[in-house]
Amino acid sequence: MHDARELIEAGDSARHQLARRRFRLDTDALDTARVRRAEALHTVADLRARLKAAARTRTAPTPAEREHARALRERVQQAQQAAHDAERALSALLHTIPNLPAGEVPEGDSDQDALEVRRGGPPPAPAAPEHHHAEVGEKLGILDAARAARLSGARFSAARGAGARLERALADFFLDLHTREHGYTEYAVPYLVNRATMTATGQLPKFAEDLFATRVGERELFLIPTAEVPLTNLAAGEVLDAGELPLAFTARTPCFRAEAGSYGRDTRGILRLHQFEKVELVRICAAEQAPEQLQLMLGHAEECLRRLELSHRTVLLPAGDLGFAARMTYDIEVWLPGSNAFREISSVSDCGTFQARRAGIRVRTPGGGRTYAATLNGSALPIGRTLAALLEQGHQSDGSVLLPKALHPYTGFTRILPGGTTA
């Protein structure tokens, strides 16, 4: 969330930066809401001062003075309600405004405008439609979309045998890498969170239609779309000591997404599901540390793919393709020969102080002041998409799938054979 005064004072600069995201900032409406709130708060303060002064006039007030005080108290209550309404109106307006893109973010509206930064792993293999992970998984007997659909409908999947073991191995490998070598603290977090938690990281109100919500009696909770939500909010409302930063958190969780507006895309296979598992990374730091921390986190995500010997590339997203809370995002794309394309497997984002303002995450500076922290998040990595890449890039001429050496200690096998047996 933004500071209204800062946006208004930035004027043309803020309008220009948000226009790069194809968002039109109405500074007049914003200023009107800000002034209305300021006036309402001034009225409350003035009436309270008058009520306090009236209470000091004499020890035994006359009937007229008592009536005057009663009327003042009533006006104070009305003014407080008006101030509350003005605050909510300003907050609602600010919650619709996305983060300002960083200056170095390129122009453009889609992944076609992304700037390729580097490539890693072996060179992309030639396109091979018969290597599509859905077909490979079915022939191996380790993916079962049909039975999953009977349980839950479209966009769900089930893994069996060596497939389920491979999913568990991937999660353990990622968590061990990030906790033992990259310095992250592992958390086991709730999968259901409240509205305030979703709002703090920017999922609400913007992405309400993409969330799964639950209600029991009067209690409303949301299924998390990513562990970024609970991990970032672990520090919500706290004042952190500058000396303990950066904080680095990781968690493996299921992720639940309605994928509103995406129907008809990626209907085959496990690239776009309503439920999938992912290992998430979150870093919280001082604002001036964010650029350095972004590159560090990006390297941690790329290292997962390097150790898995998967062909991939890293791109810098254009302003028009940034997520709502991000000021800068790198996508890591893995090569899928079955689709003859690089496809996004991880997004690593610097959110600046945007989420911290919403969540109330502050940093206590050495001089005793307080500033908002910066938050960063990234996937490292989603289990399903990584599995799909392993099936497609590891597919052999005899129909088996060869696994990278880094996974051998975790799976207990080196190859998955037709029929789901292992070797």
Side-chain angles (χ1 to χ4, degrees), residues 75-93:
R75 291 178 62 189
V76 167
Q77 291 176 349
Q78 293 171 348
Q80 287 175 328
Q81 183 60 51
H84 176 71
D85 293 344
E87 178 68 41
R88 290 187 62 182
L90 177 60
S91 178
L93 183 56

Side-chain angles (χ1 to χ4, degrees), residues 142-144 157-161 163-165 167 387:
I142 63 173
L143 294 180
D144 193 338
S157 182
R160 69 178 292 271
R165 182 70 185 91
E167 287 191 352
L387 175 64

